[in-house]
Amino acid sequence: MSKKKKPDFENMSREERMKYEIAEELGLLDRVLEDGWKTLSAKETGRIGGLVTRRKREEQNR
């Protein structure tokens, strides 16, 4: 049974939206939607977190 559900981007924080966008760029979004964030490895979640931090920093510097 699939839990796949489209996230509601309109009711999400900017950071949460960014997290989903990065997961999609890394090819992990299908797995996240199917089985949840808990199924990602520490390396994968660390990569997402690092990219979120980098993007937030870049936005501040603009």
Side-chain angles (χ1 to χ4, degrees), residues 16-34:
E16 189 74 15
R17 249 191 321 270
M18 202 180 300
K19 195 166 85 168
Y20 277 97
E21 290 169 5
I22 291 169
E24 183 175 28
E25 291 170 15
L26 296 176
L28 301 170
L29 185 59
D30 286 338
R31 203 162 91 206
V32 168
L33 294 176
E34 188 78 29

Side-chain angles (χ1 to χ4, degrees), residues 8-60:
D8 182 15
F9 289 113
E10 292 178 12
N11 295 320
M12 267 186 210
S13 68
R14 177 178 57 97
E15 188 173 307
E16 189 74 15
R17 249 191 321 270
M18 202 180 300
K19 195 166 85 168
Y20 277 97
E21 290 169 5
I22 291 169
E24 183 175 28
E25 291 170 15
L26 296 176
L28 301 170
L29 185 59
D30 286 338
R31 203 162 91 206
V32 168
L33 294 176
E34 188 78 29
D35 302 319
W37 292 103
K38 291 181 180 183
T39 61
L40 298 181
S41 70
K43 184 177 181 179
E44 291 165 335
T45 56
R47 182 75 177 133
I48 291 170
L51 290 170
V52 167
T53 301
R54 181 187 300 168
R55 288 188 188 176
K56 285 170 62 178
R57 194 177 308 131
E58 287 171 355
E59 285 180 4
Q60 285 180 337

